[in-house]
Amino acid sequence: IIGPPSSIDCSRCSSLLLLALLHLNSFYLSTFKMATRRLSTKKKFVADGVFYAELNELLTRELAEDGYAGVEVRTTPHRTEIIIRATRTQNVLGENGRRIRELTSVVQKRFAFADGAVELYAERVQNRGLCAQAQAESLKFKLLGGLAVRRACYGVVRFVMEASAKGCEVIVTGKLRGQRAKAMKFGDGYMIKTGHAGQVYTDTAVRHVLMRQGVIGIKVSIFLPHDPKGQMGPKIPLDDVVTIMEPKEEVDPAALLAAQQAAAAQQAAMAAAAPPMGVPEPVAVDPNMAAGF
């Protein structure tokens, strides 16, 4: 509105201001509805998968030297809990919990969480010999340290088998010796790669080693043992494992026949001693009443 103050129409000014406020209010309301609109199921699954993949990549690079062995995301209505599994949890926590707070701040800022809406925890791996990611990281640092490929791989396989694993397989590919790339496979024990058992019982990890002559690929597969408690391995048994139960005690046929005959004779004796149907039982007479007392 341009003009001297005396020429300003107050009613027109108030109407324009009201229209502007209404337009601004509708804009903020539509923006809030778009922000709080519920995602479709498909988009939610995709968003959760992207979040997990990026978080796992961040922690893999940051905690490689601390025995990083995976991450678990638990979502509650109030906050999101992220459990970091590692072999050296003290290094993950840092001095007085400083490192875990730094990781929490990085995750909060990257994924736009509210204050206190995300929490990071560190959980120790019970048996690192049965963790494929921990063994892949161990093999990676052995190769970076200059250890021979065969010696490093056989050391990992032996360590895994001594940790009560059913089987282990290590595949190393790349320019191992010379300029020609090749693949070497080391294995021991029992290994199932297909079917439902391959998904449940096999733990697999892949790492890339940046050597001077090129990139070397590492793949570690561990066949976990069956554990009814679900701590060292899966609870469900394998499909092809047959458990033979102890047979029940057999009863001697002659003894069984004698017991049946004895029971039948006892029932017949009880039936003979019982009074016939329809005949009243004799009433016992008190001798004192019969004598007139």
Side-chain angles (χ1 to χ4, degrees):
I1 303 171
I2 302 173
S6 58
S7 63
I8 297 177
D9 189 359
C10 295
S11 60
R12 185 167 177 265
C13 179
S14 60
S15 61
L16 288 175
L17 184 60
L18 182 61
L19 285 174
L21 289 175
L22 289 175
H23 177 70
L24 191 62
N25 188 21
S26 62
F27 170 75
Y28 278 120
L29 187 60
S30 62
T31 306
F32 178 74
K33 286 183 178 180
M34 290 178 63
T36 58
R37 187 192 307 167
R38 184 178 180 182
L39 290 175
S40 65
T41 305
K42 183 172 68 174
K43 289 185 178 180
K44 184 180 183 305
F45 272 92
V46 172
D48 292 345
V50 170
F51 170 70
Y52 179 83
E54 188 169 346
L55 181 66
N56 186 43
E57 182 70 19
L58 167 68
L59 297 176
T60 301
R61 296 187 181 187
E62 180 67 24
L63 306 174
E65 298 181 1
D66 303 318
Y68 172 71
V71 64
E72 180 184 356
V73 180
R74 297 177 184 173
T75 304
T76 62
H78 301 289
R79 61 179 180 177
T80 301
E81 297 178 355
I82 299 174
I83 295 98
I84 302 171
R85 300 176 65 246
T87 57
R88 292 186 287 273
T89 54
Q90 195 60 41
N91 295 348
V92 175
L93 295 175
E95 186 178 357
N96 297 327
R98 178 180 177 183
R99 193 175 188 187
I100 196 76
R101 288 197 300 270
E102 292 177 354
L103 291 173
T104 304
S105 176
V106 169
V107 172
Q108 178 180 341
K109 292 179 180 178
R110 168 62 185 87
F111 298 103
F113 282 105
D115 291 338
V118 60
E119 286 288 338
L120 268 67
Y121 303 97
E123 180 184 359
R124 184 185 298 275
V125 177
Q126 298 294 334
N127 191 349
R128 63 189 184 97
L130 298 178
C131 180
Q133 295 196 43
Q135 295 306 312
E137 290 289 348
S138 173
L139 181 57
K140 174 182 175 180
F141 284 105
K142 285 182 180 179
L143 295 178
L144 288 174
L147 193 64
V149 176
R150 288 179 181 272
R151 188 173 181 182
C153 293
Y154 277 125
V156 169
V157 170
R158 185 175 65 253
F159 184 80
V160 170
M161 295 304 295
E162 288 175 355
S164 70
K166 283 280 196 72
C168 177
E169 184 183 64
V170 178
I171 302 175
V172 183
T173 59
K175 291 196 287 186
L176 306 177
R177 296 180 64 182
Q179 290 298 313
R180 183 73 176 183
K182 60 179 180 178
M184 299 177 70
K185 186 181 292 186
F186 308 88
D188 191 9
Y190 186 55
M191 180 66 63
I192 294 179
K193 299 183 180 180
T194 59
H196 184 249
Q199 298 176 357
V200 175
Y201 273 84
T202 306
D203 188 15
T204 307
V206 177
R207 291 292 183 271
H208 303 93
V209 188
L210 305 181
M211 304 289 285
R212 188 173 57 183
Q213 67 269 25
V215 181
I216 293 179
I218 296 173
K219 183 178 181 180
V220 178
S221 300
I222 299 175
F223 194 75
L224 303 172
H226 170 63
D227 184 11
K229 296 182 180 179
Q231 297 177 355
M232 306 291 290
K235 284 184 178 181
I236 58 174
L238 287 170
D239 299 329
D240 56 349
V241 174
V242 179
T243 304
I244 300 177
M245 309 297 291
E246 289 292 333
K248 295 182 179 180
E249 295 183 2
E250 295 185 1
V251 182
D252 187 13
L256 181 61
L257 181 60
Q260 290 178 354
Q261 291 176 352
Q266 186 179 3
Q267 288 182 359
M270 291 176 62
M277 296 295 294
V279 178
E281 294 183 0
V283 180
V285 179
D286 190 0
N288 295 326
M289 293 180 63
F293 294 106

